[in-house]
Amino acid sequence: MGLMGALNLIGATPASAVSSNDFVATAESRAGCPYVWGAEGPDAFDCSGLICWSLAQHGISIPHYSGAQIQTCIDAGLGISVDDALGTRGALLHYDGHVAISRGDGTTIEARSPSQGTGIFSAAGMGWTAGGLFPGVTYGDSPAPPPADPGDPADGYWGSDTTRHLQAVLGTPQDGVVSSQDVHWKAQNPGLGSGWEWVSAPTGSTVIRAMQERLGVAADGLIGPGTITALQTYLGTSADGCFSAPSACVQELQRRVYAGQF
């Protein structure tokens, strides 16, 4: 069943229903929490526990078991394809033994594993087998948050499109994802948007490592005040060690990478 067919089955939505945007935001508020098998929050989660907790904050109950969660969607007539789920904010993504919440832009918010914890990850290469929409969550009834790259190559928000162009310039794989970054720095850098993976146990990103090598700073693959200050100095913008929203540094970076330069 395609996405629009599934949406048509929702019909009248209860007054207490939550929007998909609010549901995702609730789950994102737990980024950085550890993964603990069987945990259902508020400070630790397993994959299905994060979904239980996030929906429970809006008065929606769902079983604490990954297989039962996708089956709940299917039984309600709200099973959708993986491709549709990847493009639908707040949809469920499932494979045997694991579930995640799609952010609608090729990333997820999920409690992924004991080593990776709870955070924002790339949805690519995970082997998803099914998607679903949650009963009681409304989809498409309110606008999603503004995308990090709404079309202006120099909008000052570093999202997936900016990353892809930087990856092309630096000769790294072009997937639009800055992987495995320290969630500690997320709130301090609102100019960083889609495609940034925020985790509690970061290992770094190939594209950030390549950028650091160009800047002549320690190449650990992790964005942080030192790397940001070095980039701001390199690009000739005010150096304060963070990316504001919008960011003059990101705007200058975008102007260069969209022109094939760094």
Side-chain angles (χ1 to χ4, degrees):
M1 178 182 293
L3 175 57
M4 293 312 296
L7 287 173
N8 288 338
L9 289 176
I10 294 177
T13 303
S16 61
V18 61
S19 74
S20 57
N21 291 333
D22 288 344
F23 166 47
V24 171
T26 299
E28 288 176 341
S29 73
R30 311 320 296 159
C33 289
Y35 178 105
V36 176
W37 188 84
E40 194 174 317
D43 299 317
F45 302 90
D46 66 7
C47 64
S48 53
L50 176 65
I51 293 172
C52 282
W53 182 88
S54 300
L55 289 173
Q57 305 317 297
H58 301 284
I60 299 171
S61 177
I62 195 166
H64 186 171
Y65 173 62
S66 60
Q69 290 181 348
I70 186 63
Q71 194 61 48
T72 296
C73 299
I74 293 170
D75 289 348
L78 301 177
I80 61 174
S81 70
V82 170
D83 284 345
D84 281 343
L86 288 169
T88 302
R89 189 169 179 81
L92 178 74
L93 285 162
H94 174 267
Y95 64 75
D96 189 24
H98 187 68
V99 286
I101 304 165
S102 172
R103 299 176 74 238
D105 62 356
T107 63
T108 61
I109 172 68
E110 61 182 284
R112 179 164 281 191
S113 70
S115 62
Q116 295 172 291
T118 302
I120 296 172
F121 303 92
S122 170
M126 291 296 291
W128 308 112
T129 59
L133 306 179
F134 292 102
V137 176
T138 57
Y139 297 85
D141 63 324
S142 58
D149 295 294
D152 181 352
D155 65 0
Y157 293 85
W158 185 340
S160 298
D161 197 43
T162 300
T163 298
R164 275 189 289 270
H165 281 79
L166 179 61
Q167 289 169 327
V169 170
L170 296 180
T172 64
Q174 298 173 43
D175 60 1
V177 175
V178 180
S179 59
S180 196
Q181 298 297 301
D182 189 343
V183 71
H184 176 76
W185 300 117
K186 179 183 177 183
Q188 299 178 42
N189 292 283
L192 302 180
S194 63
W196 283 77
E197 290 182 358
W198 300 106
V199 300
S200 57
T203 58
S205 162
T206 298
V207 67
I208 297 300
R209 193 171 290 110
M211 184 181 76
Q212 290 168 325
E213 290 172 351
R214 291 283 188 98
L215 295 174
V217 298
D220 59 4
L222 299 171
I223 203 71
T227 295
I228 296 170
T229 298
L231 180 62
Q232 291 168 329
T233 301
Y234 176 80
L235 296 176
T237 63
S238 177
D240 60 4
C242 65
F243 293 123
S244 57
S247 164
C249 176
V250 172
Q251 286 178 319
E252 181 58 28
L253 175 66
Q254 290 169 324
R255 293 186 186 102
R256 297 195 187 196
V257 297
Y258 275 84
Q261 305 167 358
F262 180 78

